[in-house]
């Protein structure tokens, strides 16, 4: 029932939607979003979405507004009022106050002919035939419709502003989401050990280097350039083939053309490279020189996975 109601919203879109978008986009103020009951909760979510995508927004509860919070609204602010019926007592008190302050008002309502609809500058029709509640009472389908319209507003404004993933990262620096957008390989590899051996290093010292640096791998480096890699697996395979490895050196068992990544690359790109090649470590390069190791465990620890 809710999914059908969402599909039907497209048929209710009028020029008011585009004009409301332009109004917000060109406004020098903020977006104040208000509502009562479940609509107020939807208003809070839309505020959060707008703020995180480059449109400054503030939530104002309709009941609190008529008891002092009306001072939140400044001269250039645009007000979005959310109400299924558009006729609740709080809305009937609030709407004339907003009008008297000459702020432009956008209504998200399921009843365009309501008190709210008649007094709003723009109407975004959120009509639903019936609530998903068996009693057709609890706001379910109607709040879903309101939420979808709010998301549509946010996405249109995001596209108008040319809001990029880099911009998004600025507003989401914390948690796994933020790290996927801003964490770079060098942020991880710089705090790791930097195992390396020369091509002529004997196997005993190769084992010591891998063991001491505890990354399960070492780069084989010559003149600061990566020429190969030796992993724990390479050592096990060597031991299964030979009984005496005293005469072997790093270059005899190293893997050639190892997978590598640039220090400036995003950590999420390192994860993709590991997954595509079924490996758990990558050698890191910076300006053509060996710069360290990034391990799958590092990405797990940082919450990238």
């Amino acid at each position: 029932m809710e999914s059908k109601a969402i599909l039907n919203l497209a048929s209710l879109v009028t020029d008011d939607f585009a004009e409301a978008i332009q109004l917000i986009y060109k406004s020098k103020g903020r977006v104040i979003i208000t509502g009562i009951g479940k609509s107020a909760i939807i208003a809070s979510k839309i505020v959060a979405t707008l703020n995180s995508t480059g449109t400054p927004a503030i939530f104002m509860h309709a009941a609190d507004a008529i008891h002092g919070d009306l001072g939140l609204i400044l001269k250039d602010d645009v007000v979005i009022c959310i109400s299924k019926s558009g006729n609740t007592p709080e809305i009937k008190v609030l709407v004339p106050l907003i009008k008297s302050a000459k702020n432009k008002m956008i209504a998200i309502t399921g009843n365009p002919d309501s008190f709210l609809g008649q007094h709003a500058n723009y109407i975004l029709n959120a009509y639903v035939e019936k609530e998903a509640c068996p009693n057709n009472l609890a706001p379910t389908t109607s709040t879903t419709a309101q939420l979808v319209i709010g998301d549509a507003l946010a996405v249109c404004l995001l596209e108008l502003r040319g809001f990029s993933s880099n911009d998004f990262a600025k507003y989401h620096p914390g948690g796994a989401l933020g790290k996927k957008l801003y964490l770079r390989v060098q942020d991880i590899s710089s705090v790791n050990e930097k195992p390396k051996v020369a091509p002529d290093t004997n196997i005993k010292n190769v084992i010591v280097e891998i063991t001491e640096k505890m990354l399960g791998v070492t780069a084989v480096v010559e003149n600061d350039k990566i020429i190969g890699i030796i992993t724990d697996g390479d050592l096990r395979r060597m031991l299964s083939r030979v009984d005496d490895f005293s005469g072997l050196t790093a270059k005899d068992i190293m893997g050639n053309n190892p997978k590598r990544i640039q220090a400036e690359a995003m950590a999420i790109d390192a994860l993709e490279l590991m997954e595509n090649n079924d490996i758990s470590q990558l050698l890191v390069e910076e300006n053509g020189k060996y710069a360290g190791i990034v391990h799958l465990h590092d990405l797990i620890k940082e919450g990238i996975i």
Side-chain angles (χ1 to χ4, degrees), residues 5 14-15 37 41 55 69 71 78 103 118 121 125 138 140 142 148 175 188-189 209 219 227 229 235 239 280 287 301:
T14 66
D15 288 344
I41 298 171
T55 299
D69 280 4
V78 175
N103 291 88
Q118 290 173 1
N121 299 99
N125 194 343
T140 45
S142 60
V148 168
I188 299 173
S189 63
E209 181 71 358
I227 64 168
I229 188 172
L235 294 175
L239 291 173
S280 57
N287 298 322
K301 185 171 66 176

Side-chain angles (χ1 to χ4, degrees), residues 179 188 191-192 296-305:
K179 287 182 178 180
I188 299 173
V191 298
N192 280 343
L296 180 63
H297 292 164
D298 299 322
L299 302 177
I300 295 173
K301 185 171 66 176
E302 293 290 345
I304 298 297
I305 300 177

Side-chain angles (χ1 to χ4, degrees), residues 85-208:
S85 71
N87 287 316
T88 58
E90 293 85 357
I91 295 299
K92 286 187 173 182
V93 174
L94 178 60
V95 167
L97 297 174
I98 296 171
K99 292 281 287 184
S100 67
K102 301 191 184 306
N103 291 88
K104 295 292 185 181
M105 185 166 46
I106 301 166
I108 298 179
T109 181
N111 183 6
D113 296 325
S114 64
F115 182 85
L116 173 60
Q118 290 173 1
H119 289 85
N121 299 99
Y122 304 98
I123 300 173
L124 307 185
N125 194 343
Y127 170 77
V128 297
E129 183 176 352
K130 188 179 179 182
E131 298 288 4
C133 164
N135 300 313
N136 194 27
L137 294 173
T140 45
T141 311
S142 60
T143 47
T144 299
Q146 294 166 357
L147 190 65
V148 168
I149 290 174
D151 286 342
L153 287 171
V155 171
C156 289
L157 288 164
L158 179 155
E159 293 185 355
L160 275 176
R161 298 184 195 284
F163 197 82
S164 68
S165 59
N166 289 332
D167 296 316
F168 196 75
K170 294 176 185 177
Y171 295 100
H172 297 76
L177 176 60
K179 287 182 178 180
K180 287 180 181 180
L181 294 168
Y182 76 79
L183 192 69
R184 297 187 182 276
V185 169
Q186 64 187 5
D187 298 328
I188 299 173
S189 63
S190 62
V191 298
N192 280 343
E193 294 284 355
K194 191 178 172 181
K196 65 177 180 177
V197 296
D200 57 357
T201 301
N202 63 52
I203 298 301
K204 177 182 177 181
N205 288 332
V206 170
I207 294 172
V208 169

